Amino acid sequence: MYAKYDFRKKPSSKEDEDKQPLYPRIVSNGTIDFQRIVKEIAQASSFTPADIEGVQLAIENKISEYLISGYHVQLGDLGYFSAKLKARPVMDAKEIHAQSIYFDNVNFRPSSSFRKKVRGFVEKAKSGFAHSAEIPVEERRRRLERFLDERPMIRRKEYTQLTGLLKNKALNELNGWVKEGVLDTIGSGSHIIYVRANTGKD
């Protein structure tokens, strides 16, 4: 299966939006979590999932140990890890002390052999990038009210289907309705549901 691509404009404050050039970008098929990788490796080898997870954790610990000790770490043919520091900019090194300099991030530079492994053909995505539907907030609120007239509760997935908002925007808006006193929540995490505020409190 080939990766899919579409075009996006690269925003620039110096150019009008209509004059911004288009750049090809990969259209993500989703995120593969480590548990899926563990399962697939275990099925194709003599390693157990516990073996794989144990080695992965040990590698993580060793990489972090060497990075904070000032080393760069090469991980096989994947590439190189290095630590990144953060501090306020100064004109003279004497203006800042070690207490104000700290580890901020980790850089990863893939090796040339690994970059070659991910090269390949791509094809144009039919649907392109996913965007939240441009439905006015007033209409989204009306749809929510009508939905709750017929059902006692609504989940994030249902709100996405109802309004066209993608996951994060749908969650932010639902939580915004909670803050405004329009909705209450029941449960937590991935099991959270939203109900009308004051439901069952009369």
Side-chain angles (χ1 to χ4, degrees), residues 1-56:
M1 181 179 69
Y2 294 142
K4 307 292 193 301
Y5 73 92
D6 201 355
F7 291 93
R8 273 188 169 171
K9 294 179 180 179
K10 187 175 182 179
S12 172
S13 58
K14 298 181 180 179
E15 299 179 8
D16 294 333
E17 184 175 349
D18 292 339
K19 296 181 180 180
Q20 292 173 7
L22 297 172
Y23 295 87
R25 293 288 186 270
I26 292 291
V27 177
S28 175
N29 286 319
T31 300
I32 302 298
D33 62 23
F34 187 65
Q35 291 304 313
R36 175 170 172 178
I37 294 175
V38 167
K39 181 179 179 181
E40 291 180 356
I41 292 175
Q43 290 175 340
S45 69
S46 60
F47 299 113
T48 67
D51 292 334
I52 300 167
E53 291 174 350
V55 171
Q56 183 259 344

Side-chain angles (χ1 to χ4, degrees), residues 25-184:
R25 293 288 186 270
I26 292 291
V27 177
S28 175
N29 286 319
T31 300
I32 302 298
D33 62 23
F34 187 65
Q35 291 304 313
R36 175 170 172 178
I37 294 175
V38 167
K39 181 179 179 181
E40 291 180 356
I41 292 175
Q43 290 175 340
S45 69
S46 60
F47 299 113
T48 67
D51 292 334
I52 300 167
E53 291 174 350
V55 171
Q56 183 259 344
L57 180 59
I59 291 173
E60 278 186 13
N61 291 337
K62 276 298 175 183
I63 290 176
S64 63
E65 177 184 321
Y66 282 119
L67 289 179
I68 63 177
S69 297
Y71 292 93
H72 291 179
V73 178
Q74 179 183 356
L75 186 60
D77 284 336
L78 277 178
Y80 304 82
F81 293 88
S82 60
K84 182 179 179 181
L85 299 180
K86 186 173 184 179
R88 62 182 177 84
V90 295
M91 300 301 293
D92 189 329
K94 296 179 181 179
E95 298 177 29
I96 195 168
H97 300 285
Q99 294 87 341
S100 301
I101 304 173
Y102 53 92
F103 286 102
D104 176 57
N105 210 336
V106 174
N107 296 320
F108 174 71
R109 180 167 59 88
S111 68
S112 58
S113 60
F114 185 70
R115 288 198 300 269
K116 290 178 182 178
K117 288 180 181 179
V118 296
R119 288 176 183 170
F121 295 102
V122 294
E123 59 185 28
K124 185 74 167 62
K126 294 180 180 179
S127 57
F129 290 103
H131 297 282
S132 290
E134 297 180 0
I135 300 172
V137 63
E138 297 82 5
E139 174 60 22
R140 298 199 297 267
R141 173 70 180 275
R142 282 193 290 270
R143 294 185 181 189
L144 172 65
E145 295 289 353
R146 288 197 296 268
F147 186 95
L148 293 176
D149 284 340
E150 300 176 0
R151 301 171 181 82
M153 62 188 183
I154 187 168
R155 295 179 174 81
R156 194 280 307 166
K157 286 185 178 180
E158 293 169 328
Y159 194 66
T160 288
Q161 295 170 353
L162 195 68
T163 62
L165 293 180
L166 298 179
K167 181 179 179 179
N168 289 338
K169 287 190 175 181
L171 281 173
N172 289 338
E173 185 153 281
L174 285 168
N175 291 328
W177 295 135
V178 173
K179 290 181 180 179
E180 292 182 22
V182 176
L183 299 173
D184 276 338

